[in-house]
Amino acid sequence: MNSSSEKLATNFIKCELSLSGQLYSTETKNNYYLDAVSLISSIEGQKTIFLQEKEPLFFSILFFTLLDFGHIPICVSSDLNQFQYEQFLKNMPTAGWIKNKEFTPPTIIEQNKYSNCYGCLTSGTTSSPKLCYLGISNAKENASAHAKSLGIDKHHLILQSLPLNHSFGLVVYLWTTLVTSNKLDFNLAFLGLRSLNKRNLSNCVIHLSPAQSRFVIKEKIDEIEGMDIVSIGGGLIQSDEVEKLCKKFKNSNVFTTYGLTEAGPRVTSGLWKSGKNTGHIGKPFTGISAKVLLSDNKTLLNTGQGHLCIQSPSLKLNLLQSEVIQDNWLKTRDIVNINPQGDIDYISREDDLINIGGISIYPKDIEAVARLNPMVDDCIVLKKRSDMYEEIPILVVKPTLDVKLLEDYLKERLNIYQMPKQIYSFDEFPQHSLNKIDRKALLAMCESL
Amino acid sequence: MPEILKKVIEVIEDNEDLNPKISISEITFASRFKEDLGFDSLALMSLVYELQEFYPDLDEMVISQWSTLQDCTEHLTKL
């Protein structure tokens, strides 16, 4: 276990922490810490452990205490359904589980080859989870670089508005608070302008997803004061939408940013100024480099348009050969343009991802679950444009069946973002001459109903 | 159908951002916001904002405690 001065958990609880504006008392913090130590000190050996906890402070303390004791926490959503829970355990029998203050040991004892790290899931539960191991020192470095790029310091109050268990939440809320000693306010519900307006805000920081940004734009409140820094996932929001947000967050510094779990997760940020392009995501932080890979899959350039490639000290520890090119450049699935000044504009994602308000889902994960249903011979997930969420998944299955029954089956097995917004069934799918499904024609068939 | 449930369902039906995954006629006390209606946190917040027109004392943060329509209507009854 770490020495007392290095203990992540005790250093974290020294910070000013609150829940929906109500400060946690020292007694509450200490009691949560003692509960965490009592639970975790009884776990023998170094373990990989799924961490599931709804109370945000207790989640945070458990997370850091697990790291202090040399374990590897893998953070999961507090509201997994039973199917997802079973799939995780099936796919990782070497991992234990902490939930409801109880530890369930793994069914197979095997040392993880990684250490001093934690795990984040990127997507899907239907096959082996796409797990990224992120190093502790790398996370601190990433949090520090991210905070510096936005100008966050110990005087700021960060308002949590996005999930803690995701790689983004862990770095921008937990690791940032640890390295910067800022104040942190946990929230169990999304903070719209209406709820923010009720608080006496000053020196605040908020991170918004593209979907949350659009919600805020639609709110009937013209402007709000007290927010010093607003950061938005910049890749999926239009420039006129950012301008509207700038008007709403009066006197705030609005940043558009970019990141992905595999990269640590934060990568770039840029202070928004009028005239910036849609998709502007700024420059990489100090210590991080970005290039574009041309369509020949070999040429890496400092400027131009192509697949974004990243070199960063915070890349995930379990990089695959297939994910890197040349000298350890992580090749992303994002198409960007880098100008001679090093500014990056996000253009689009590769076609097979569906982006729901900033959250990526893989159609094949949904298809795999649908195919488990005995009624389904074949299926495909298509993406459809949405004003609110950018893109939504629709599921089309073969043959014609009771869509309601299939829907009931899926909702017990998929998370809310994977759940298709519409389900259609047909006896046959239209095909191209090469026997491939004609997606455009199929989408047109759905829309004609 | 109790008045309060009718009111909530009416609000859901009239809000073009909400688009529940089940038909309005199928919504009951037992309907789960997430699993049955397909509402995420943004949709729930939209619902709360609409309900605040009728229940001004309704605090937005309460949505973290709502799993079902019953949770929602029980809370509104106490206001």
Side-chain angles (χ1 to χ4, degrees):
Chain A
M1 188 170 156
N2 293 339
S3 69
S4 55
S5 62
E6 293 165 350
K7 274 185 203 163
L8 302 169
T10 48
N11 282 331
F12 181 73
I13 61 175
K14 282 179 190 161
C15 301
E16 188 176 302
L17 306 167
S18 55
L19 177 64
S20 304
Q22 302 297 314
L23 276 177
Y24 283 106
S25 66
T26 305
E27 187 185 355
T28 299
K29 291 195 262 185
N30 287 340
N31 285 341
Y32 273 145
Y33 177 63
L34 291 172
D35 284 347
V37 170
S38 168
L39 174 64
I40 293 164
S41 58
S42 64
I43 300 172
E44 289 176 8
Q46 185 235 48
K47 293 280 190 301
T48 306
I49 299 171
F50 283 107
L51 172 58
Q52 188 183 4
E53 169 56 47
K54 187 166 181 177
E55 207 291 330
L57 176 60
F58 192 41
F59 168 86
S60 309
I61 292 173
L62 282 169
F63 173 72
F64 284 126
T65 307
L66 282 166
L67 292 173
D68 285 333
F69 276 80
H71 300 295
I72 299 175
I74 301 175
C75 303
V76 296
S77 169
S78 62
D79 56 3
L80 290 182
N81 60 43
Q82 187 63 24
F83 177 77
Q84 289 168 319
Y85 171 72
E86 287 165 4
Q87 284 295 110
F88 277 132
L89 287 180
K90 183 176 144 196
N91 291 320
M92 277 196 79
T94 54
W97 204 289
I98 284 182
K99 183 182 170 180
N100 297 332
K101 293 187 180 181
E102 280 182 12
F103 170 66
T104 306
T107 49
I108 297 174
I109 306 296
E110 189 179 282
Q111 185 92 348
N112 196 315
K113 67 179 184 180
Y114 300 105
S115 58
N116 295 317
C117 65
Y118 59 100
C120 288
L121 298 164
T122 57
S123 84
T125 61
T126 55
S127 55
S128 297
K130 292 178 181 65
L131 180 56
C132 295
Y133 287 113
L134 302 174
I136 292 174
S137 55
N138 297 347
K140 286 183 187 173
E141 191 169 340
N142 195 246
S144 183
H146 176 248
K148 193 172 169 188
S149 79
L150 301 186
I152 296 174
D153 62 34
K154 63 181 181 182
H155 303 294
H156 282 108
L157 168 64
I158 298 181
L159 303 170
Q160 181 222 339
S161 56
L162 289 162
L164 279 181
N165 63 281
H166 196 265
S167 64
F168 177 91
L170 288 167
V171 159
V172 305
Y173 302 124
L174 303 194
W175 287 113
T176 295
T177 300
L178 197 65
V179 302
T180 311
S181 301
N182 51 266
K183 300 168 217 170
L184 176 61
D185 182 58
F186 296 110
N187 288 279
L188 296 174
F190 162 62
L191 294 171
L193 291 185
R194 198 183 287 191
S195 40
L196 288 173
N197 237 1
K198 291 178 184 171
R199 301 205 194 174
N200 194 10
L201 296 179
S202 145
N203 266 346
C204 286
V205 179
I206 193 162
H207 304 287
L208 296 173
S209 70
Q212 287 174 340
S213 302
R214 291 192 177 101
F215 186 97
V216 160
I217 288 168
K218 283 168 77 165
E219 284 194 74
K220 293 174 198 156
I221 292 173
D222 289 337
E223 58 186 37
I224 182 170
E225 299 222 27
M227 205 66 72
D228 190 32
I229 296 164
V230 178
S231 92
I232 312 156
L236 300 160
I237 194 159
Q238 301 294 311
S239 56
D240 65 306
E241 290 173 312
V242 183
E243 295 286 348
K244 286 175 185 167
L245 282 167
C246 290
K247 288 194 173 104
K248 293 246 176 179
F249 290 105
K250 194 177 164 182
N251 298 325
S252 302
N253 293 308
V254 176
F255 291 82
T256 46
T257 70
Y258 168 89
L260 71 169
T261 299
E262 293 89 332
R266 307 315 296 154
V267 180
T268 76
S269 72
L271 180 63
W272 185 265
K273 290 182 177 142
S274 266
K276 290 285 184 194
N277 295 329
T278 284
H280 177 72
I281 52 174
K283 290 184 165 79
F285 308 148
T286 305
I288 297 179
S289 304
K291 289 193 181 190
V292 290
L293 179 69
L294 300 186
S295 54
D296 63 1
N297 255 345
K298 285 187 223 166
T299 311
L300 264 181
L301 296 176
N302 290 324
T303 63
Q305 183 165 317
H307 277 90
L308 174 63
C309 296
I310 298 163
Q311 260 188 353
S312 166
S314 303
L315 294 184
K316 66 175 184 175
L317 302 178
N318 52 331
L319 276 173
L320 299 173
Q321 280 287 89
S322 56
E323 291 173 309
V324 294
I325 56 161
Q326 298 184 21
D327 301 314
N328 261 2
W329 287 89
L330 171 71
K331 180 189 167 189
T332 74
R333 305 186 75 153
D334 296 316
I335 312 296
V336 302
N337 187 72
I338 305 181
N339 73 11
Q341 289 74 45
D343 289 309
I344 306 176
D345 289 338
Y346 177 96
I347 309 293
S348 72
R349 234 172 223 157
E350 284 184 0
D351 283 341
D352 61 345
L353 282 178
I354 297 180
N355 189 289
I356 304 175
I359 296 171
S360 296
I361 61 161
Y362 289 85
K364 64 182 188 307
D365 288 338
I366 303 171
E367 289 160 2
V369 173
R371 289 199 180 96
L372 293 173
N373 187 293
M375 295 190 298
V376 173
D377 286 343
D378 197 5
C379 65
I380 186 167
V381 168
L382 304 175
K383 64 180 162 186
K384 204 170 145 180
R385 291 280 317 157
S386 158
D387 285 338
M388 179 110 164
Y389 296 105
E390 197 77 21
E391 295 170 346
I392 53 171
I394 65 169
L395 174 66
V396 193
V397 300
K398 211 168 63 164
T400 307
L401 47 74
D402 186 331
V403 161
K404 180 76 179 64
L405 282 182
L406 179 59
E407 196 170 48
D408 289 342
Y409 176 88
L410 292 174
K411 70 184 173 197
E412 299 303 326
R413 290 162 175 81
L414 295 173
N415 69 41
I416 191 170
Y417 296 105
Q418 291 173 315
M419 196 57 207
K421 298 294 180 209
Q422 288 149 5
I423 301 178
Y424 300 92
S425 68
F426 301 105
D427 284 326
E428 291 298 330
F429 291 158
Q431 291 184 328
H432 288 298
S433 54
L434 295 171
N435 285 339
K436 288 182 81 171
I437 295 173
D438 186 338
R439 288 165 174 259
K440 272 193 185 152
L442 190 54
L443 189 57
M445 277 167 70
C446 298
E447 284 172 348
S448 69
L449 293 178
Chain B
M1 179 186 291
E3 275 308 307
I4 206 163
L5 179 63
K6 239 198 239 179
K7 184 78 211 160
V8 176
I9 292 174
E10 213 174 82
V11 166
I12 291 172
E13 192 175 13
D14 290 344
N15 187 317
E16 60 188 26
D17 287 332
L18 288 179
N19 295 319
K21 290 183 52 49
I22 56 178
S23 70
I24 294 296
S25 59
E26 290 176 286
I27 299 177
T28 66
F29 275 124
S31 301
R32 299 167 293 179
F33 282 113
K34 200 161 71 161
E35 294 87 347
D36 298 325
L37 273 63
F39 287 179
D40 64 3
S41 58
L42 293 182
L44 269 177
M45 192 56 85
S46 268
L47 173 62
V48 164
Y49 278 15
E50 297 284 331
L51 289 172
Q52 282 175 333
E53 301 294 314
F54 306 98
Y55 301 93
D57 290 338
L58 178 58
D59 181 355
E60 302 85 26
M61 291 298 137
V62 76
I63 63 173
S64 62
Q65 298 159 29
W66 289 356
S67 294
T68 63
L69 267 288
Q70 181 154 4
D71 295 333
C72 165
T73 52
E74 275 177 4
H75 188 91
L76 295 177
T77 307
K78 291 176 192 163
L79 292 176

